[in-house]
Amino acid sequence: MRPATATLDLAALRHNLARVRAAAPLSKVFAVVKADAYGHGLARVLPALAGADALAVACVEEALIIREAKIDKPVLLLEGFFDAEDIAACAEHDLWAVIHHPSQVDLLARHPPAKPIRVWLKIDSGMNRLGLAGDKIAVCRRQLADNNAVRKDIGLLTHFARADDTADPTTGEQLTRWQALTENLDGERSSANSAAVLGWPESHLDWVRPGIMLYGISPFVEGCGRDAGLKPVMTFKTRLIAVKNVQSGDCVGYGGAWRARSATRIGIAAAGYGDGYPRHAPSGTPVLIDGMKAALAGRVSMDMLAVDLSGHLNAAVGSEVTLWGDGLPVETVAAYAGTIAYELLCGVTQRVHFRVFD
Ligand SMILES: *Cc1c(COP(=O)(O)O)cnc(C)c1O
């Protein structure tokens, strides 16, 4: 069996959920599990999320995985329904729908579900992505309140553009605008993503919506999850399948992008961009060989990558290679590759073997 493996530590996930509770003790928790639980596998992580009050996903297809797992917690669709079929699914499977645009209010009026559904009105407080602004808020809210196919407990939510930078004043400005836009409206309120859970206590309100921190990753622009008391859930590992000696001046890999400055031992690890390891990770990106730091050498291939084994005298075929996770924050690898941990986690591919530890 090819050794590229992602191990999932469900005890770490429970620990991270407890960390959310400790940071926002008065709020209910939507555990955000969109994009296959940030690449971890939705069905795999659900057993560790029994302590959440509700779950949040991007679409009905994701919500149905939760229902197939016989979990009857509320499930929030973060972008609401996309068509009439989705509206029917909200009623059938008890899904809560975000309403972010007047077109959704119209669709709901034209395709009333079989029983009333719960909706959450999304307010644009300054991110300028999804949400209602200005007088559209009151108009849509009135239309929803008059629609018998909508439950009376309409919720309110908004989203922050820059909560990951606690020095940036934008989040405070968004909160002020959101308070002004919603002060005369009843309903439960929700605004905080992971960064706001940890960095903006005044944003916690009735419900928080943590995603990335559940998986043990720092939501902030700098630092890693451990700084915030989080534990990584996924560790992505493989093994060396070849070791060789190259001479000074020899090049390694596609494009000859790495050249030996002296005689060097090179290890070839069985993982590449076909497994979700970022092709843009440059030479020098850290990996762990049997727990000790080493550096990538040359371009990442589809199925393999090369490692400079200088100083790793015991490294041999079969040595364990940690690509990220326990001992090597995915945040670090993401920074080398010019991306964010969210993208690396979501990008782990189907051919990687997953192992779940409880
Ligand atoms: C993805 C998402 C979240 C969770 O964000 P994290 O940064 O992963 O905590 C919260 N709210 C909305 C609307 C989202 O789309």
Side-chain angles (χ1 to χ4, degrees), residues 177-266:
R177 194 171 313 151
W178 146 260
Q179 271 145 16
L181 288 169
T182 59
E183 66 183 345
N184 296 320
L185 304 177
D186 301 332
E188 288 193 305
R189 285 158 160 73
S190 173
S191 68
N193 57 4
S194 297
V197 167
L198 293 172
W200 299 88
E202 62 273 46
S203 74
H204 291 170
L205 311 176
D206 300 304
W207 287 83
V208 293
R209 305 191 308 272
I212 196 78
M213 72 180 287
L214 292 174
Y215 308 99
I217 309 306
S218 170
F220 297 117
V221 281
E222 270 168 12
C224 67
R226 201 176 44 195
D227 309 336
L230 302 170
K231 295 182 183 170
V233 174
M234 183 196 292
T235 296
F236 186 14
K237 285 183 186 172
T238 188
R239 291 190 183 275
L240 293 183
I241 58 170
V243 172
K244 61 195 58 212
N245 297 304
V246 298
Q247 303 308 315
S248 179
D250 285 352
C251 293
V252 170
Y254 284 121
W258 186 89
R259 183 185 295 268
R261 294 213 190 104
S262 56
T264 308
R265 253 176 18 119
I266 295 289

Side-chain angles (χ1 to χ4, degrees), residues 41-284:
L42 179 46
R44 292 184 196 109
V45 304
L46 283 174
L49 293 172
D53 298 289
L55 301 161
V57 295
C59 56
V60 168
E61 294 89 322
E62 293 176 339
L64 291 187
I65 295 171
I66 296 169
R67 292 293 178 250
E68 276 156 25
K70 300 273 177 277
I71 288 169
D72 58 8
K73 285 182 196 301
V75 176
L76 177 67
L77 303 174
L78 290 165
E79 286 142 56
F81 39 78
F82 295 92
D83 55 25
E85 235 176 282
D86 280 359
I87 294 175
C90 288
E92 186 180 347
H93 301 286
D94 191 22
L95 313 179
W96 297 353
V98 163
I99 301 271
H100 62 80
H101 196 270
S103 62
Q104 291 177 313
V105 180
D106 296 341
L107 195 68
L108 193 52
R110 281 187 280 120
H111 301 278
K115 61 175 199 244
I117 62 169
R118 185 167 194 205
V119 301
W120 288 70
L121 209 55
K122 182 145 185 185
I123 312 291
D124 186 354
S125 58
M127 185 171 179
N128 292 315
R129 193 177 62 176
L130 290 185
L132 302 162
D135 51 11
K136 291 214 172 67
I137 299 169
V139 172
C140 286
R141 200 168 188 291
R142 200 166 317 119
Q143 285 174 300
L144 291 167
D146 290 344
N147 186 338
N148 289 331
V150 173
R151 272 168 50 171
K152 296 301 158 205
D153 52 351
I154 298 174
L156 297 164
L157 54 79
T158 194
H159 196 51
F160 299 120
R162 304 193 211 174
D164 58 344
D165 184 352
T166 48
D168 190 301
T170 311
T171 304
E173 290 161 17
Q174 280 196 256
L175 271 170
T176 304
R177 194 171 313 151
W178 146 260
Q179 271 145 16
L181 288 169
T182 59
E183 66 183 345
N184 296 320
L185 304 177
D186 301 332
E188 288 193 305
R189 285 158 160 73
S190 173
S191 68
N193 57 4
S194 297
V197 167
L198 293 172
W200 299 88
E202 62 273 46
S203 74
H204 291 170
L205 311 176
D206 300 304
W207 287 83
V208 293
R209 305 191 308 272
I212 196 78
M213 72 180 287
L214 292 174
Y215 308 99
I217 309 306
S218 170
F220 297 117
V221 281
E222 270 168 12
C224 67
R226 201 176 44 195
D227 309 336
L230 302 170
K231 295 182 183 170
V233 174
M234 183 196 292
T235 296
F236 186 14
K237 285 183 186 172
T238 188
R239 291 190 183 275
L240 293 183
I241 58 170
V243 172
K244 61 195 58 212
N245 297 304
V246 298
Q247 303 308 315
S248 179
D250 285 352
C251 293
V252 170
Y254 284 121
W258 186 89
R259 183 185 295 268
R261 294 213 190 104
S262 56
T264 308
R265 253 176 18 119
I266 295 289
I268 306 298
Y273 62 82
D275 303 288
Y277 191 87
R279 186 178 170 279
H280 287 103
S283 291

